[in-house]
Amino acid sequence: MKPMTREQIDDVTSALGFATAADPDGVLRAVRALQYADRQRANPIAVRQALAAAQTVVKRLLAIETEHATTRAAIACLVVANNRGDDFSLSDLAFELEQAAVDLKDDYDTADALARAVEGEGLL
């Protein structure tokens, strides 16, 4: 999959205006609204609701695309710096992502719990 360019992200952001990003449950609601509108095409309210829901999903996808681009850029910068003789670590990557507002706290917690479970298997 080819990531969106910064210009494409900016264009979509501008086109969406003040639409809010769907939360995880909102994605499911949007899919259901789209399915309902597909069955009720003559119902302008259903169609309007489906279009509004679709915009929230696009806004969420755009946020994910932006975070993905930020993560890729941080990784690339540190790899290139290391290839040129610097000595950055994964802690440096974590710091860079934190500075760019990429929140990995839940991911760290999950990884820590998994590591503890794997370590605990040796004790059983």
Side-chain angles (χ1 to χ4, degrees), residues 42-101:
N43 181 341
I45 294 171
V47 172
R48 252 192 322 272
Q49 288 173 338
L51 292 173
Q55 286 185 9
T56 68
V57 172
V58 171
K59 187 76 168 198
R60 180 180 178 86
L61 292 173
L62 192 61
I64 292 167
E65 187 82 31
T66 300
E67 187 172 286
H68 180 242
T70 300
T71 303
R72 289 173 57 99
I75 292 168
C77 286
L78 294 179
V79 167
V80 167
N82 278 355
N83 288 343
R84 293 178 178 238
D86 287 328
D87 188 23
F88 290 106
S89 69
L90 291 175
S91 295
D92 295 311
L93 175 60
F95 176 79
E96 291 297 323
L97 292 174
E98 184 179 320
Q99 294 302 303

Side-chain angles (χ1 to χ4, degrees), residues 116-124:
R116 287 177 194 271
V118 169
E119 289 168 354
E121 284 183 10
L123 301 174
L124 298 178

Side-chain angles (χ1 to χ4, degrees), residues 17-33:
F18 295 107
T20 58
D23 61 10
D25 292 332
V27 174
L28 180 58
R29 286 192 306 273
V31 169
R32 289 181 176 152

